[in-house]
Amino acid sequence: MFFIKKNNYSSKQIIENIKNRKNYEKTIRELYKLYFDKVKVLILKLNGTNEDAEDVFQDAIAKVIWSIDKDQFKGEAHISTYLFTISKNMWLSTLKKRNRYDVSYDNITVDGKQEDDVDFTDELPLTGGDDLDTKHRFRELLNKIGEDCQRLLTYFYFQQLTYEEILTKFKGKYTSEKFIRNKKSRCINYLRKGLENSTEKISDLLDNISECLDKK
Amino acid sequence: MLSEKIIEERLYIEKISQDVKGVRAQMKKDNLVTLSVRWSSAAAILLFSFFSIYLVQLNTRSIIEEKCYTNYTRSSQSENEKDPPRLEVALQQINSENYEEAVEILNGLPDSDHKDWFLLNANLGLEDFEQVDQLMGKIQNDEEHLYFDQIDNYLLYDIYLLKLKRKIFN
């Protein structure tokens, strides 16, 4: 496997640390120390900037963590290969979307080494493809969605709380579980519409559906 | 139409991304601190090295060679006519590192600014810092003294270092 450096944590240890949230921050730091520079070289070679490299690598780590958290991670390749492949694919998708893609980019190498041709599709999220612009749009949508929506979605999807538990978290602000359920649907719809209508300005979109979000 | 699953995945990834971003920001901050500590340490080591080298090469001889001769030749014209030849002998003794003889000759001479200065140099050669301090005090307290300007901060600092060096190595 290419681009493996001698490190404190083995690939297996990194996965275990992430899974158990043990030395979590240290492990993320280790991933940056070991593999970020390689990804950065790649992104810069492909007409990207330092900021692009930071964004892409941050997303790659998040996707690997998702895969580990959701027990989708098979670990058939070294974790560095996952990070590199995710980063490369995401950046190439970004270039395609921006019409700046060149076919020669497919065979790009770092340090003259050809990456392994590994398909992780069934192990990773967003299998339909992902790019930086969509990621940025989603983040923007999320920032505009309102604090209650953000909290509700975090409780539901990230902390996996039940509607009843979520209702308690809002301390009487909302009257019933049914309302929470409806609010969640409206929040999701807003995000979905925001992503589907990628040409529409977020502010216009928000104006159109803000009524819907605030409805009780 | 985008499925709820995709939105869910994006939400999850976005949440993790923010955590990762926080770690990365902290990393950059720590790197800056580490970098500044490294630079400060390097500067301190460099400064200490220069100081050590300066201290090692510093000796009474180098101070005497730098300070002694020129002043005498420049100002001897105004002094007592009898003294210059004996002062000259004392100076030669100092230059030959015969400091005890120089002190002996100088002690036999009448008081003068040159005598003070040469005595100071001879005692410096003998590393008699008590006498050196006494003579420096005398010159420093007299603004009209011919060698008043010679007692500058550099000389005071060098003598302080010489005392320090003697303490360290003896």
Side-chain angles (χ1 to χ4, degrees), chain A residues 151 166-174:
Chain A
R151 281 176 65 195
I166 295 171
L167 191 63
T168 324
K169 287 271 183 188
F170 279 105
K171 291 175 182 166
K173 186 172 182 182
Y174 300 118

Side-chain angles (χ1 to χ4, degrees), chain B residues 100-124:
Chain B
E100 281 180 16
E101 285 84 345
V103 169
E104 209 174 309
I105 294 167
L106 288 165
N107 280 336
L109 290 175
D111 287 348
S112 75
D113 291 355
H114 290 309
K115 179 185 167 181
D116 293 339
W117 183 244
F118 289 162
L119 261 178
L120 191 153
N121 280 280
N123 281 303
L124 197 59

